[in-house]
Amino acid sequence: MQLDELEEFPHYDTINDFLTGLEVTELEEIRIYMIKELFNKRCFDQYKIEGRYWGVIFDGTGLYSFEKKHCEHCLRREYKNKETGEIQTVYMHHVLEAKLVVGDMVYSIGSEFIENESENVTKQDCELKAFHRLAEKLKQTYKRLPICVLGDSLYACEPVFSRCEEYNWKYLFRFKEGRIRSIASDFYAIKTMEKGQKENHLFWVNDMPYHKRMVNVLESKFEH
């Protein structure tokens, strides 16, 4: 029997039992349907960046960690015990999430597992590799959605810039000195030249050349 409305909200055990019986692809379809309905109803239009772009945060997070190998897709990380010198291996499962920013809330609009194809890979999967897979999925699902990609300094690199520009996406990333040394060097050189001016909490330089594009860098200082 199909119901258009529920008289009461199901118990969480009932919901969990229902979800465990669904294929991952079906869960994806449910999420896509819900997000597209919110877009169609223009529920969050006031949260667009510059009245046009949807802010979407990309960020990886850990799901599980194990002392022993869980499966052939586990990521591996080795640690050296400073006292004993023993090498310890931790096995992990991570996921990359794309979350739509609406005020002080976020909504998941895409997920991509960060995992190895097999246990014999010479180079492990990583967050940046997963970014390109997830970006492709989002572009296919939300073809005309004007996106501004938000992320930490990991994403401030040429491959991500190129992917965003290929999809006509804007991007705004946290910049950390050492990530792109040429930009950091030029930025601080210009800042040094401006030392005679009054110290400001904001300092920015527009149209800094990097490869075939121009980038803008802004430094913000906050007093606690």
Side-chain angles (χ1 to χ4, degrees), residues 14-181:
T14 303
I15 297 175
N16 285 339
D17 289 341
F18 171 73
L19 293 177
T20 55
L22 287 179
E23 295 291 336
V24 174
T25 53
E26 292 178 316
L27 290 172
E28 286 279 0
E29 290 299 322
I30 293 172
R31 175 170 59 182
I32 291 171
Y33 169 78
M34 294 171 64
I35 294 298
K36 286 189 173 181
E37 280 296 296
L38 292 172
F39 283 139
N40 291 336
K41 293 178 179 178
R42 309 180 72 87
C43 296
F44 304 128
D45 279 11
Q46 68 269 34
Y47 298 110
K48 289 182 180 179
I49 299 174
E50 294 186 342
R52 180 178 179 185
Y53 300 99
W54 292 101
V56 177
I57 296 177
F58 283 75
D59 195 20
T61 185
L63 296 175
Y64 309 103
S65 62
F66 311 91
E67 294 182 356
K68 295 183 180 180
K69 186 177 68 174
H70 169 258
C71 67
E72 63 178 356
H73 303 294
C74 286
L75 300 175
R76 302 180 301 276
R77 186 173 295 164
E78 293 184 346
Y79 297 91
K80 186 175 182 179
N81 189 308
K82 294 182 179 179
E83 296 180 356
T84 65
E86 181 184 0
I87 303 296
Q88 297 177 325
T89 302
V90 176
Y91 298 90
M92 303 163 293
H93 282 274
H94 288 183
V95 66
L96 178 65
E97 277 284 312
K99 295 188 181 293
L100 180 72
V101 182
V102 287
D104 57 358
M105 297 185 296
V106 292
Y107 290 82
S108 175
I109 63 171
S111 306
E112 178 66 25
F113 288 103
I114 307 171
E115 57 185 19
N116 296 325
E117 292 183 2
S118 70
E119 59 183 330
N120 299 318
V121 293
T122 56
K123 204 166 184 178
Q124 294 196 87
D125 198 12
C126 67
E127 189 171 328
L128 281 178
K129 291 180 182 178
F131 166 80
H132 292 283
R133 301 195 299 269
L134 183 52
E136 184 177 2
K137 288 182 180 179
L138 291 182
K139 187 62 177 177
Q140 292 174 353
T141 304
Y142 307 99
K143 294 182 173 59
R144 294 184 295 276
L145 191 69
I147 288 176
C148 179
V149 178
L150 310 173
D152 58 27
S153 59
L154 175 69
Y155 295 92
C157 62
E158 174 62 24
V160 174
F161 294 160
S162 296
R163 175 71 68 174
C164 290
E165 290 165 5
E166 176 188 352
Y167 291 162
N168 292 317
W169 291 352
K170 301 296 182 182
Y171 47 89
L172 180 62
F173 302 127
R174 182 175 181 272
F175 182 75
K176 185 184 294 184
E177 186 176 358
R179 185 56 175 152
I180 305 179
R181 294 184 179 181

